[in-house]
Amino acid sequence: MNAKRFLAGLLSAAMLSTALPAALAAGPADPAATRGQVCAMLLTAADDYNPGVKQSDILHGDPDGNLRENDPVTRAEALIMLQRAFGELPKPTGDNARKAYPASSFTDIPAWAQAELQGVFDAGIVAGTSATAFSPDENVTVGQMELFIHRVFALEGSNQKDDFYATVNKSQLDSSVIKPGRQVSGTLYNLMDKSNADVAAIIGEITADGKTYAKGTREQKISTLYHNILDWDARNKAGIAPIKPYLDAIDAANSFDDLMAVRQKVADGLGAGMFVNFSLSADAKDSTRYILHFGGMSPSLNKDVYTSGGKQKDAFMKYVRTLYMLGGLSEEEAAREAGLFWQLESTLSAAQYDRQEYGDIDKIYNIYTMQQLRDLFPAIDLDAVLAQSGLKAGDAIMVNDPGLLEANASLLNGGHLDELKAAARLTLLSGYGGTLNREFLDAANTYQQEFLGTEGTLTDEEVAAQVVQSWMPEYLGKLYVDRHFSQKAKDDVTNMVKDVLSIYKERIQKLDWMGDATKAKAIRKLDTMNIKVGYPDNWDSLLDGIDIRGAADGGSYFDNLVAISKANREHLVSLQGKPVDKTQWGMYPYTVNAMYNPMSNDITFPAGILQAPMYDVDAPREQNLGAIGYVIAHEITHAFDNNGAKFDEKGNAADWWTPEDYAAFQKLCDQAVAFYDGQEAAPGIVCNGTLTLSENIADLGAAACITEAAGRLDNPDYSLLFTSMANVWASTSSRDYALYAARADVHAPDKLRGNRVLQSLDQFYTTFGITDGDGMYLAPEDRITIW
């Protein structure tokens, strides 16, 4: 048995919680390890960290000196042996300290083992069978022992053959600091901070004391909204007055019809939907046109929180109670309303799709007629709701989640008036509280800290700048590009994208699992893929026709946001009957991210991500390939992931595969699920291979493509390429945030994005001399390549 290899599927993501994973208990599929087996594993694993370690150092035997090498090893014994093998373990710092397993609550540590176990407890690498049970006498399996060893590799971070990500990022991870109010820091997140700071600097210049602007100019609107946000005297004085009439109307509602009249009042006055809503979206079956869309209430949290509860439920419920009290309810009334709201949301959550299913067009494209919706919601005058929206009914209305819609229908009637009033009240308080008095912001900050483990808060100025850039992207985007993005960079990245597309085309032609007919259609999809780099060609803005008013003119943060929301709604209505404009961008120019849009068959790389360290026009090609090249190939691969593969070159949901080829692709997808499922990113925090499938396919395709691209260079520096790839994903967060992200984020944890893809590349093994017995080693038959 290789002592340094992960066992795929050792842990199940379904078992993630703040308690210790139950999968660490021995099971019939992974028999108990013997003392002799564990000793042999540790001798191999620890040799690079504690040279010269011998069996006699690790295995001391019983009081009579009997080694009993064939006896099963218990958890306490195994971890004592691990401590002896590796010697003094480093104290966790930086990211390791944040994500360390909290063993302080264990209540069953045997007295005889406490001294020798203290080192592994201090290192944060221990897990038991629950949050309080270490279970020292439970047998440990070979797979569990391998897991403990890998935790030491990550903690040490000194051997790239054992944990590449932890080693090449050690300095950054150990010294990492998360700025106040942020959830994460790291390569990409620090670049986001830089982009935010760059935009904030532009806003700061525009809003500097003494500067005035002609009414209606973009500078006047930016300055006015910014000062609205920071006008705490006015906001605190107004309190909840802006939404008080709507709250009072909810209180006065004595029937379901009364409550639907409040919904109409909110829609007319605030331009916002409540309970049910009609909208427009591009038609996935014919992406050149818009289709009417209908939806209802959705849960606030990830599904597992409603079933498992725990500290995140407690934090959420505290926040909800606080909002109700800020809205005028007593503590007792707030507690009652919070209970009703939780009951309603639990019903919705139980009925909705799992997170990853919302990317599957076969599941989210469901066509209803208006009459079918009327029949489903007999208590609601849907024709009046549609008329109020300004939209017109067509032959088909799209619904994303039929189960969730039916759960809405079961609630939206006279039998659930109290729950619906609680939901309506919270919709207003949570949706508009951020524009009101200081207490709402304080409550939101406390909620984030308790739910995700963040520390500190953003400054008022940081909040104001981020709000302005969210609502005025066209105005600020042009200014940002003029200062921070060159034509040279745009041309260079565009050429890089074309090079990667060319390589991708060749790779598809060489696939041995796909037939010629399907290959031809896949290549056509690549040939017609549109490339968007840096910024849009047009800078038209909906804000041009909006009057953003300052305090002297009777305006406020609340009023101006309502005006912008109404303008966005009016624009949406104006699109009905028009063709979809596929030149529109789905990201702001200063966004540090990228995207593939399956319904436009285009890839977008905003100027914000095209900066060092992600992209440097003067950097070695291998470094850029490992960073922005990886992102480019990742987005291209999304055209062929388990979701994107269901769209053709025109952006329409269509089956362009032969049955045989699609079956082969599905088999590879299943392998990708298994390749990631249960892989540990930090002690007790594991990946859900099903949830993250689409992003993992994109990562695997990206890594294979850019490795081939590097191989076409003269004397390619693969070491720089792979190090650059791992550097991109260097990040740190609180343990609470990492736990929640592992359950809710469709991306694998960053550590796996840095390590797991490399384990699938043959060149990675030859570059660093990784062989059987090293922690990063996977046998060739266990590696996976799809695209």
Side-chain angles (χ1 to χ4, degrees):
M1 176 70 69
N2 175 12
K4 295 188 178 181
R5 284 178 58 188
F6 264 111
L7 293 184
L10 178 62
L11 299 179
S12 167
M15 298 174 185
L16 271 174
S17 69
T18 53
L20 301 171
L24 282 171
D30 193 7
T34 67
R35 296 180 179 189
Q37 282 179 304
V38 167
C39 188
M41 294 167 66
L42 290 169
L43 284 170
T44 302
D47 186 58
D48 291 332
Y49 303 87
N50 188 15
V53 63
K54 305 182 297 296
Q55 175 175 310
S56 59
D57 299 322
I58 300 172
L59 191 57
H60 293 177
D62 61 24
D64 296 326
N66 299 312
L67 298 182
R68 293 158 49 193
E69 294 179 72
N70 293 322
D71 284 4
V73 65
T74 66
R75 178 173 281 102
E77 293 169 344
L79 288 169
I80 287 174
M81 292 169 69
L82 179 143
Q83 175 73 74
R84 292 169 179 170
F86 282 92
E88 184 177 356
L89 296 173
K91 294 292 189 293
T93 59
D95 183 60
N96 281 322
R98 293 186 187 95
K99 298 206 181 90
Y101 209 107
S104 58
S105 60
F106 288 155
T107 59
D108 58 347
I109 310 300
W112 65 266
Q114 285 182 352
E116 283 203 88
L117 282 173
Q118 195 58 52
V120 290
F121 286 140
D122 290 345
I125 61 171
V126 177
T129 54
S130 76
T132 57
F134 175 56
S135 302
D137 299 325
E138 183 174 281
N139 291 335
V140 168
T141 69
V142 170
Q144 290 163 10
M145 197 65 215
E146 289 183 341
L147 187 62
F148 290 133
I149 291 171
H150 274 268
R151 291 177 184 176
V152 177
F153 293 158
L155 182 67
E156 295 277 0
S158 59
N159 188 342
Q160 59 192 16
K161 294 183 180 183
D162 284 333
D163 191 323
F164 190 78
Y165 171 91
T167 304
V168 301
N169 293 317
K170 182 173 177 56
S171 177
Q172 181 176 349
L173 294 173
D174 284 355
S175 62
S176 60
V177 175
I178 302 177
K179 294 180 180 179
R182 277 73 165 180
Q183 299 168 353
V184 190
S185 76
T187 303
L188 278 168
Y189 306 96
N190 295 342
L191 190 55
M192 292 176 191
D193 272 346
K194 178 185 181 300
S195 178
N196 285 334
D198 288 339
V199 178
I202 295 171
I203 295 172
E205 293 176 14
I206 293 172
T207 61
D209 290 344
K211 288 192 174 182
T212 59
Y213 304 98
K215 187 174 179 60
T217 62
R218 67 182 180 185
E219 290 81 5
Q220 176 266 316
K221 294 178 181 180
I222 290 171
S223 181
T224 298
L225 182 58
Y226 181 80
H227 287 301
N228 280 158
I229 298 166
L230 292 178
D231 190 355
W232 282 109
D233 288 341
R235 291 174 63 178
N236 289 332
K237 182 178 179 180
I240 64 168
I243 61 171
K244 187 67 162 56
Y246 304 103
L247 293 173
D248 290 343
I250 293 170
D251 288 339
N254 292 316
S255 67
F256 182 73
D257 288 342
D258 290 345
L259 197 56
M260 289 307 295
V262 176
R263 183 213 171 275
Q264 187 84 356
K265 183 176 182 178
V266 169
D268 290 337
L270 303 179
M274 183 182 286
F275 300 132
V276 293
N277 194 41
F278 287 96
S279 185
L280 283 183
S281 61
D283 188 341
K285 300 288 186 180
D286 180 0
S287 59
T288 64
R289 71 184 187 100
Y290 290 102
I291 189 172
L292 194 64
H293 186 277
F294 181 76
M297 299 177 288
S298 296
S300 307
L301 305 173
N302 200 52
K303 291 183 74 170
D304 73 289
V305 180
Y306 295 97
T307 56
S308 62
K311 64 181 296 185
Q312 290 176 323
K313 176 187 175 182
D314 293 342
F316 179 70
M317 293 299 281
K318 176 183 173 181
Y319 178 55
V320 170
R321 290 193 300 271
T322 301
L323 290 181
Y324 282 134
M325 286 188 284
L326 291 175
L329 297 185
S330 68
E331 185 173 351
E332 182 179 353
E333 290 169 333
R336 175 182 176 275
E337 293 286 295
L340 291 170
F341 181 71
W342 181 262
Q343 180 179 326
L344 178 143
E345 289 228 317
S346 297
T347 299
L348 296 174
S349 176
Q352 73 175 157
Y353 282 144
D354 290 335
R355 174 72 175 85
Q356 68 273 9
E357 293 179 287
Y358 286 104
D360 186 345
I361 191 62
D362 292 337
K363 293 192 173 183
I364 64 172
Y365 191 88
N366 304 283
I367 298 301
Y368 285 65
T369 65
M370 190 66 180
Q371 187 56 51
Q372 285 176 309
L373 293 177
R374 293 188 192 103
D375 293 341
L376 192 58
F377 292 89
I380 300 177
D381 185 349
L382 288 184
D383 294 285
V385 172
L386 180 63
Q388 187 280 327
S389 75
L391 297 167
K392 297 179 181 179
D395 296 331
I397 302 171
M398 194 173 82
V399 168
N400 287 137
D401 188 336
L404 181 60
L405 191 70
E406 289 177 9
N408 270 267
S410 72
L411 294 167
L412 288 166
N413 54 59
H416 299 275
L417 184 61
D418 288 344
E419 295 102 303
L420 294 174
K421 290 176 69 171
R425 188 176 287 109
L426 197 68
T427 297
L428 292 172
L429 294 168
S430 62
Y432 296 95
T435 70
L436 305 177
N437 45 303
R438 169 76 70 176
E439 288 84 355
F440 283 94
L441 178 60
D442 292 342
N445 286 332
T446 298
Y447 171 50
Q448 177 172 290
Q449 292 162 2
E450 294 179 350
F451 191 90
L452 296 175
T454 57
E455 296 181 359
T457 61
L458 298 176
T459 67
D460 288 348
E461 290 75 17
E462 287 174 327
V463 172
Q466 289 187 16
V467 171
V468 172
Q469 65 176 275
S470 295
W471 289 95
M472 298 184 166
E474 293 88 353
Y475 288 168
L476 290 166
K478 179 65 167 64
L479 296 170
Y480 175 84
V481 166
D482 289 344
R483 296 190 185 194
H484 297 287
F485 194 64
S486 68
Q487 185 64 43
K488 179 181 179 183
K490 183 180 176 75
D491 294 342
D492 187 53
V493 173
T494 300
N495 289 331
M496 187 183 295
V497 174
K498 291 178 179 178
D499 289 343
V500 175
L501 282 168
S502 177
I503 292 172
Y504 220 104
K505 182 175 179 178
E506 294 178 27
R507 290 183 62 81
I508 287 178
Q509 289 172 329
K510 296 175 184 177
L511 290 175
D512 59 6
W513 58 267
M514 180 181 281
D516 290 342
T518 309
K519 285 180 181 179
K521 294 179 179 179
I523 289 170
R524 186 185 309 158
K525 193 170 183 180
L526 287 174
D527 287 341
T528 56
M529 189 175 290
N530 191 30
I531 303 170
K532 297 176 179 177
V533 174
Y535 51 88
D537 294 331
N538 299 310
W539 296 97
D540 296 336
S541 175
L542 294 176
L543 297 174
D544 290 344
I546 301 175
D547 182 17
I548 303 295
R549 295 180 294 118
D553 299 321
S556 69
Y557 178 16
F558 173 86
D559 291 330
N560 285 322
L561 243 58
V562 168
I564 295 173
S565 296
K566 287 184 175 181
N568 284 327
R569 182 71 190 183
E570 290 170 3
H571 174 69
L572 184 72
V573 172
S574 74
L575 295 177
Q576 192 167 28
K578 295 180 181 178
V580 174
D581 181 1
K582 296 190 178 185
T583 67
Q584 292 293 312
W585 276 49
M587 289 182 163
Y588 309 149
Y590 39 76
T591 301
V592 179
N593 209 331
M595 66 177 289
Y596 170 75
N597 183 348
M599 287 195 285
S600 296
N601 191 29
D602 64 27
I603 44 179
T604 301
F605 307 99
I609 199 172
L610 303 178
Q611 305 179 70
M614 291 302 297
Y615 167 75
D616 184 345
V617 71
D618 297 318
R621 199 63 167 177
E622 294 92 338
Q623 182 176 323
N624 277 335
L625 278 172
I628 196 61
Y630 185 108
V631 174
I632 291 168
H634 174 98
E635 299 308 332
I636 292 171
T637 310
H638 271 311
F640 305 102
D641 68 21
N642 56 308
N643 298 320
K646 295 179 179 180
F647 290 82
D648 64 17
E649 78 280 2
K650 296 179 181 178
N652 297 328
D655 184 3
W656 48 273
W657 297 71
T658 65
E660 297 79 13
D661 289 343
Y662 194 73
F665 176 60
Q666 281 297 111
K667 184 177 180 180
L668 289 168
C669 289
D670 292 341
Q671 292 176 12
V673 170
F675 190 69
Y676 281 88
D677 200 45
Q679 294 299 310
E680 191 174 74
I685 300 175
V686 297
C687 183
N688 180 330
T690 301
L691 172 67
T692 57
L693 176 59
S694 63
E695 296 295 338
N696 293 337
I697 291 173
D699 280 349
L700 290 166
C705 187
I706 64 168
T707 299
E708 181 164 339
R712 299 186 181 192
L713 302 173
D714 293 332
N715 300 313
D717 186 345
Y718 285 116
S719 177
L720 178 59
L721 174 76
F722 297 136
T723 300
S724 179
M725 288 169 61
N727 289 159
V728 164
W729 305 115
S731 71
T732 186
S733 72
S734 70
R735 181 174 178 84
D736 287 335
Y737 177 87
L739 278 164
Y740 190 73
R743 301 190 294 262
D745 192 351
V746 294
H747 299 83
D750 284 343
K751 177 172 181 172
L752 297 182
R753 301 189 77 180
N755 265 357
R756 200 62 172 153
V757 292
L758 295 176
Q759 292 179 287
S760 69
L761 303 171
D762 293 342
Q763 294 91 333
F764 176 67
Y765 294 85
T766 56
T767 299
F768 296 104
I770 296 169
T771 60
D772 192 0
D774 293 320
M776 289 296 296
Y777 182 80
L778 280 181
E781 64 269 19
D782 294 332
R783 302 168 198 172
I784 181 172
T785 300
I786 300 179
W787 296 104

